[in-house]
């Protein structure tokens, strides 16, 4: 059985400000680094065989906290980046609502392709799902930790599980430095074992930021 741990990065100043990051390369803040440091020993206890991370610093630096304990290298994969939020990147959600009211309303209503040059959820799910599968293939029968982003994590998981958009809308976002656990076997294929697991109690911020 293969175990895939999908770990969201730690907190950033843009998370705290509800500013849309998307694929902007924003670093961890002090809280984010502490979250990664606290979570890393728990994940190290799962005895991972490989670590793969988005190449954006907030994810790669979160993964580095686990690598420091396990001695494993961090492989980076640009496909693990967050959803591209087009014209919204760098804006607060309040600014988005003011400047793009129609697109913002569609996004809030769950439109998978709301406009404003935002990557569609279908494309996001395919991109992340393929990256998750390739990461899992690095240690078939073992444990792989993938460090990525909130929105990308949910859509990639949905792609592997075969869940449609309506089902995914009912799944809560990962909090910073929390993770989802998937397992795969030859009989059941991919199945969900745990979601939003972590040490730090906090409200889950929207995956857009």
């Amino acid at each position: 059985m293969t175990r895939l741990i999908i770990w969201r990065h730690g907190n950033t100043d843009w998370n705290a400000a509800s500013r849309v990051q998307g694929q902007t390369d924003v670093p961890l803040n002090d809280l984010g680094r502490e979250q990664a440091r606290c979570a890393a020993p728990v994940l190290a206890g799962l005895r991972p065989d490989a670590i793969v991370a988005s190449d954006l610093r907030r994810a790669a630096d979160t993964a580095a906290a686990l690598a420091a304990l396990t001695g494993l290298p961090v492989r980076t994969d640009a496909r693990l980046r967050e959803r591209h939020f087009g014209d919204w990147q760098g804006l607060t959600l309040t600014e988005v609502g003011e400047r793009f009211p129609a697109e913002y309303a569609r996004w809030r209503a769950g439109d998978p392709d709301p406009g404003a040059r935002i990557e569609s959820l279908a494309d996001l799910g395919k991109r992340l799902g393929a990256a998750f599968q390739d990461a899992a293939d690095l240690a078939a029968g073992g444990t792989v930790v993938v460090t990525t982003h909130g929105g990308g994590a949910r859509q990639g998981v949905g792609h592997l599980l075969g869940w449609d958009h309506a089902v995914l809308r009912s799944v809560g976002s990962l909090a910073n430095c929390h993770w989802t656990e998937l397992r795969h076997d030859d009989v059941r294929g991919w199945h969900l074992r745990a979601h939003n697991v972590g040490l730090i109690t906090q409200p889950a911020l929207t995956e857009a930021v």
Side-chain angles (χ1 to χ4, degrees):
M1 181 177 292
T2 301
R3 178 166 56 180
L4 186 63
I5 305 297
I6 298 166
W7 188 23
R8 187 185 178 191
H9 63 78
N11 193 260
T12 72
D13 287 343
W14 284 27
N15 283 147
S18 293
R19 190 173 296 277
V20 180
Q21 294 179 125
Q23 295 188 4
T24 308
D25 198 7
V26 181
L28 296 174
N29 58 21
D30 288 343
L31 173 59
R33 286 187 286 272
E34 177 66 8
Q35 289 171 333
R37 187 192 67 78
C38 290
V42 179
L43 293 175
L46 300 179
R47 305 174 75 88
D49 299 289
I51 304 170
V52 186
S54 159
D55 61 346
L56 298 179
R57 283 180 292 171
R58 58 191 183 271
D61 289 350
T62 298
L66 178 58
L69 296 182
T70 63
L72 294 169
V74 177
R75 304 168 186 250
T76 58
D77 186 340
R79 294 176 299 170
L80 293 169
R81 290 182 180 186
E82 179 60 289
R83 185 181 191 182
H84 194 283
F85 272 87
D87 297 333
W88 295 6
Q89 293 189 168
L91 302 178
T92 66
L93 289 178
T94 298
E95 291 168 336
V96 168
E98 293 170 348
R99 299 186 194 184
F100 302 90
E103 293 90 343
Y104 183 65
R106 288 197 293 270
W107 175 73
R108 288 293 300 266
D111 189 328
D113 193 4
R117 300 192 301 127
I118 297 171
E119 184 178 11
S120 74
L121 290 182
D123 288 345
L124 178 65
K126 291 175 185 175
R127 172 164 64 83
L128 269 292
F132 288 168
Q133 184 63 63
D134 288 347
D137 290 343
L138 293 172
T143 297
V144 178
V145 175
V146 175
T147 309
T148 186
H149 309 265
R154 181 160 61 182
Q155 294 305 131
V157 165
H159 184 81
L160 287 186
L161 295 175
W163 291 359
D164 65 25
H165 177 61
V167 173
L168 286 177
R169 284 269 293 164
S170 68
V171 178
S173 301
L174 284 175
N176 287 118
C177 254
H178 285 52
W179 58 89
T180 294
E181 179 180 338
L182 300 179
R183 296 198 187 186
H184 184 278
D185 62 50
D186 293 338
V187 176
R188 296 179 60 188
W190 285 109
H191 50 282
L192 179 68
R193 293 296 296 266
H195 177 64
N196 207 30
V197 180
L199 296 179
I200 303 166
T201 302
Q202 58 174 315
L205 298 172
T206 175
E207 67 271 11
V209 299

